[in-house]
Amino acid sequence: MSAEATNPEAHPEARPELRRRGRSRLDLRRLGRAALLGPTSRDRLPDAIGHVAEAHRAHHPDADMSILRRAYLLAESSHRGQMRKSGEPYITHPLAVTLILAELGAETTTLTASLLHDTVEDTDVTLDQVRAEFGDEVRFIVDGVTKVEKIDYGAAAEPETFRKMLVATGNDVRVMSIKLADRLHNMRTLGVMRPEKQARIAKVTRDVLIPLAERLGVQALKTELEDLVFAILHPEEYESTRALIAAHAGESDPLPGIADSVRTVLREAGIAAEVQVRPRHFVSVHRISRTRGELRGSDFGRILILVGENADCYAVLGELHTCFTPVVSEFKDFIASPKFNLYQSLHTAVATPEGYVAEVIVRTRQMHRVAEAGVVALGNPYATATPEATADPDEERVDPTRPGWLSRLLDWQQSAPDPDTFWTVLRAELAQDREITVFRADGGTLGLPAGASCIDAAYAQHGEAAHGCIGARVNGRLTSLSSPLSDGDTVQLLLAQDTSSGPAAEWLDHARTPAARIAISSWLDAHPDRAMATTTAARAPLSVVGARGGGANAVADLPDATVRLAGCCTPVPPDAVAGFLVRGGAVTVHRVQCAAVAQMRAVGRTSVAVHWRATADCRVTLLAESFGRPHLLADLTEAIAREGVEVVSATVEPPVEGRVRHTYTLQLPDAAGLPALMRAMRDVPGVYDVSRA
């Protein structure tokens, strides 16, 4: 592996944020020498963390640097004599990791834990010592990042380490922030490793760490990790992309000119804004080259506009779409509907008179900070509102930054004791690169991966109680449990009163989340007899036939003609009807609204006038749709009997996804009582619709 492929300094366009800040890159060898010499004075910070202090003060001017000094002294003395494979003193690694986090704006507790993150794992320092010197929070974070012992876990050590970190991240997202920065520095210096080990580490980074960085919103780390992994796993494509970027650097770039035009437009509109040209990183250039083919000059970067307030974002958007030609299909509003990883911005694209299309991102400066640093930019999300308020250390802290995906990981990892299963399912879950938010009927929200179904929503909301789910309403309309959900849907999940009911085997075909699949599989494994019953062939419909039939109440103006009421629309008095002569000299009667009426007329069937007899009784066929439950047929039959209606025949179809369809042919003593009968049937628990056949 070449040094250029593993060192971002070789291609600064992959790290534009460092170039914009103008801060020099940390010189690891110089800091290593300073680390060995130690501080020159006991009353000031060691020279070795001067860069860290400078970066930290830029975000937190009032931070207490004495804590960092004590953490550095403990880390330096503990790691003294240890060397990295690159030949540098080991202390340069925690220093570099801490600088990465300091540049992103991490608060003092995170930086303290970062300096100490390898001490418990690689030195004689214990967690009790860390707690005594720096408190419970630092101790918790250091423990969360510390790997499990390979002696105890063997080949399962890596999956179990990630499981441990995920559980710790559930209580403190700063654990994963340190792990991401740790992996970034290791990837930067991966060139000293054997090629096969480089590939192994890069694959884990691609499959697990990069998706976690995306979900935590730490784009500054994610983009550099992507480029470093790209260089290792796809060296030929990386080199061709690098050559493409180098060739573009020698050409005229239209984006600075477009940015100047945007500045002029906004200045004339009286909108205070900062306009930048942001080069794309390597992987981004590679992706768009595959989708767009030959790239033009404006494809190698995007225009970033930073403003002060949310309202200014929309004011900028209005000016852009007024003074330039907007590309409507490229507009996305992530301010009104933020992404699941805290990201907020307006995205659009505008076309210039010269034919260039420039992508534009509009956001406030606070949005920009969160877009770059994600959860790191939130400081300490666990700080109490008042100094007197203290949380119970034994209770799980409510993290306001915890999105739905992290809660899902924490839930299903408890049901996946096998490390191989956990590792496989973790990668599959993180491969879901899109998230949707659906609203619960009680006003709460559920975060689900794109493509999730009502089954996934049921297990996300109700856990194992979702075994008894028998249906769902999406946006007020009844739908099957297998129906996929879309972002912004409102879902109401309906549970059976019978707690012994369980999921059907076919639910696995529609479950997308690990929590749902693991819960369904566990229930089916525990109830093999019930699982077998759900997969058997459909049973024949149950039919109940009444004691007597009934004649039609319709009379045709055709002597001796047999009159039949059409089964497609089942007309009853006082419906408006139409009759048609069919084979055998019979007259079939339809409601005038029936689609068959137009068909009869189209094929030239002879129309026959029909009317209802003076008698008020009639026969009608009704369809009742319901969720399956015990005694449903008896309750429906009782409701019908209470209305004084006779059941001529009844057919009950086999349940499908927990839903049952009943077809009743009924003899009514008075047609006027039909609406009341249908209402009575709808009032039966479990019945959600009753209609004419």
Side-chain angles (χ1 to χ4, degrees):
M1 174 50 55
S2 67
E4 185 175 87
T6 58
N7 184 1
E9 290 185 84
H11 40 80
E13 62 271 24
R15 291 278 288 164
E17 70 278 6
L18 295 178
R19 185 180 62 203
R20 289 196 307 275
R21 288 176 181 161
R23 184 177 295 121
S24 60
R25 169 68 68 176
L26 184 65
D27 186 339
L28 295 180
R29 294 189 183 276
R30 181 180 66 79
L31 290 184
R33 290 192 295 271
L36 292 174
L37 293 174
T40 58
S41 172
R42 297 179 63 88
D43 59 355
R44 71 183 185 92
L45 287 170
D47 293 338
I49 56 171
H51 286 69
V52 173
E54 178 190 354
H56 190 37
R57 285 195 180 101
H59 294 279
H60 304 277
D62 300 326
D64 181 5
M65 296 298 173
S66 65
I67 300 176
L68 291 181
R69 180 181 184 277
R70 289 191 287 114
Y72 169 77
L73 292 175
L74 177 59
E76 187 276 327
S77 61
S78 301
H79 289 296
R80 186 172 295 168
Q82 295 179 350
M83 307 296 287
R84 304 194 77 215
K85 290 185 181 294
S86 59
E88 298 157 342
Y90 194 89
I91 188 61
T92 59
H93 171 65
L95 276 171
V97 172
T98 305
L99 178 63
I100 291 170
L101 293 168
E103 288 182 328
L104 291 174
E107 41 70 59
T108 307
T109 300
T110 303
L111 301 186
T112 303
S114 176
L115 284 168
L116 301 170
H117 78 272
D118 277 339
T119 55
V120 174
E121 181 180 333
D122 295 334
T123 75
D124 294 332
V125 175
T126 66
L127 289 172
D128 289 338
Q129 287 178 274
V130 173
R131 177 196 284 117
E133 185 72 20
F134 301 100
D136 286 327
E137 282 196 312
V138 173
R139 184 257 183 212
F140 181 87
I141 297 172
V142 171
D143 183 36
V145 183
T146 301
K147 296 177 183 177
V148 299
E149 291 288 345
K150 287 187 177 181
I151 297 175
D152 298 331
Y153 288 90
E158 187 170 35
E160 288 302 325
T161 295
F162 273 96
R163 187 202 295 266
K164 177 186 175 186
M165 278 190 294
L166 282 174
V167 173
T169 301
N171 275 340
D172 199 320
V173 293
R174 293 173 291 185
V175 171
M176 193 55 67
S177 300
I178 294 176
K179 178 58 182 178
L180 292 172
D182 173 77
R183 179 53 60 95
L184 175 57
H185 182 244
N186 284 333
M187 289 293 296
R188 285 176 178 174
T189 57
L190 205 58
V192 299
M193 300 285 187
R194 299 187 309 274
E196 59 270 19
K197 190 168 184 179
Q198 290 185 36
R200 183 184 67 79
I201 294 174
K203 288 178 181 177
V204 174
T205 304
R206 177 196 62 192
D207 295 344
V208 180
L209 272 303
I210 289 176
L212 285 171
E214 167 73 15
R215 281 157 174 73
L216 292 173
V218 195
Q219 295 296 319
L221 303 188
K222 179 218 171 192
T223 53
E224 188 175 346
L225 285 172
E226 283 185 327
D227 284 348
L228 295 169
V229 168
F230 184 41
I232 293 171
L233 298 183
H234 306 282
E236 294 180 359
E237 293 177 341
Y238 171 82
E239 288 299 329
S240 64
T241 303
R242 188 170 67 86
L244 189 64
I245 294 174
H248 164 69
E251 300 175 352
S252 176
D253 189 348
L255 285 177
I258 298 173
D260 287 338
S261 299
V262 171
R263 290 188 189 99
T264 301
V265 167
L266 298 181
R267 184 170 55 250
E268 292 176 352
I271 301 174
E274 179 184 349
V275 181
Q276 304 175 4
V277 174
R278 299 254 298 179
R280 293 182 183 272
H281 65 292
F282 278 40
V283 171
S284 179
V285 172
H286 174 66
R287 285 171 181 162
I288 65 170
S289 67
R290 297 185 64 181
T291 57
R292 301 180 186 178
E294 184 177 354
L295 301 182
R296 305 186 66 188
S298 58
D299 292 328
F300 287 87
R302 292 181 288 191
I303 293 176
L304 173 66
I305 302 175
L306 300 179
V307 295
E309 304 292 338
N310 288 19
D312 296 334
C313 295
Y314 294 98
V316 168
L317 183 70
E319 293 298 326
L320 291 176
H321 286 190
T322 299
C323 299
F324 298 90
T325 302
V327 181
V328 179
S329 61
E330 296 294 324
F331 173 68
K332 297 180 180 67
D333 187 346
F334 295 118
I335 295 178
S337 301
K339 289 186 178 182
F340 63 91
N341 61 358
L342 310 177
Y343 179 87
Q344 287 185 290
S345 291
L346 295 179
H347 286 212
T348 188
V350 295
T352 67
E354 295 77 21
Y356 291 110
V357 175
E359 294 184 30
V360 183
I361 300 173
V362 186
R363 59 175 70 133
T364 66
R365 290 176 178 82
Q366 174 61 19
M367 291 176 190
H368 180 61
R369 186 180 172 214
V370 174
E372 291 289 299
V375 296
V376 180
L378 298 176
N380 180 5
Y382 313 100
T384 54
T386 60
E388 295 78 12
T390 56
D392 185 346
D394 295 329
E395 289 187 3
E396 179 182 355
R397 290 185 294 188
V398 177
D399 179 3
T401 71
R402 179 187 293 180
W405 64 267
L406 181 52
S407 297
R408 293 201 306 271
L409 290 182
L410 295 175
D411 289 340
W412 67 254
Q413 66 85 22
Q414 298 177 355
S415 304
D418 177 19
D420 291 336
T421 301
F422 167 77
W423 198 231
T424 301
V425 178
L426 174 65
R427 295 184 184 204
E429 168 76 1
L430 293 176
Q432 302 280 351
D433 59 354
R434 287 185 57 242
E435 185 99 353
I436 63 172
T437 299
V438 298
F439 296 92
R440 294 167 21 180
D442 60 7
T445 60
L446 296 172
L448 299 169
S453 66
C454 294
I455 294 173
D456 299 302
Y459 282 95
Q461 180 173 349
H462 297 292
E464 292 189 356
H467 292 332
C469 193
I470 54 178
R473 291 184 183 273
V474 177
N475 301 326
R477 303 188 64 176
L478 198 82
T479 187
S480 65
L481 287 174
S482 61
S483 299
L485 296 167
S486 300
D487 194 44
D489 282 347
T490 298
V491 59
Q492 178 186 3
L493 300 161
L494 307 172
L495 303 182
Q497 296 177 350
D498 181 11
T499 57
S500 65
S501 60
E506 58 264 25
W507 285 18
L508 288 172
D509 298 332
H510 307 290
R512 295 290 177 269
T513 58
R517 296 187 61 82
I518 291 174
I520 295 168
S521 299
S522 299
W523 190 93
L524 294 175
D525 291 342
H527 303 80
D529 296 338
R530 299 278 296 277
M532 185 68 68
T534 64
T535 58
T536 56
R539 297 164 293 174
L542 171 65
S543 296
V544 180
V545 180
R548 69 176 183 86
N553 294 322
V555 178
D557 292 346
L558 190 65
D560 302 324
T562 302
V563 177
R564 299 173 183 165
L565 299 181
C568 56
C569 58
T570 58
V572 298
D575 293 340
V577 291
F580 296 92
L581 192 63
V582 295
R583 290 186 181 90
V587 174
T588 182
V589 179
H590 297 262
R591 285 189 280 170
V592 294
Q593 300 91 346
C594 181
V597 171
Q599 296 173 358
M600 291 286 191
R601 288 172 178 162
V603 298
R605 294 290 186 185
T606 302
S607 178
V608 179
V610 292
H611 62 275
W612 296 109
R613 288 195 183 103
T615 178
D617 67 330
C618 66
R619 179 176 295 187
V620 64
T621 301
L622 299 179
L623 299 179
E625 295 184 87
S626 64
F627 299 116
R629 65 172 179 82
H631 311 299
L632 177 62
L633 180 61
D635 292 346
L636 266 173
T637 305
E638 182 180 353
I640 293 170
R642 283 200 301 267
E643 297 298 316
V645 176
E646 183 179 357
V647 177
V648 177
S649 66
T651 302
V652 182
E653 299 178 12
V656 176
E657 295 184 348
R659 296 188 300 168
V660 183
R661 182 185 175 103
H662 306 249
T663 303
Y664 293 94
T665 300
L666 307 170
Q667 189 74 26
L668 279 71
D670 188 344
L674 181 59
L677 170 64
M678 296 174 71
R679 284 195 299 271
M681 294 174 67
R682 290 192 187 101
D683 289 340
V684 173
V687 176
Y688 57 82
D689 195 18
V690 176
S691 60
R692 298 270 293 275

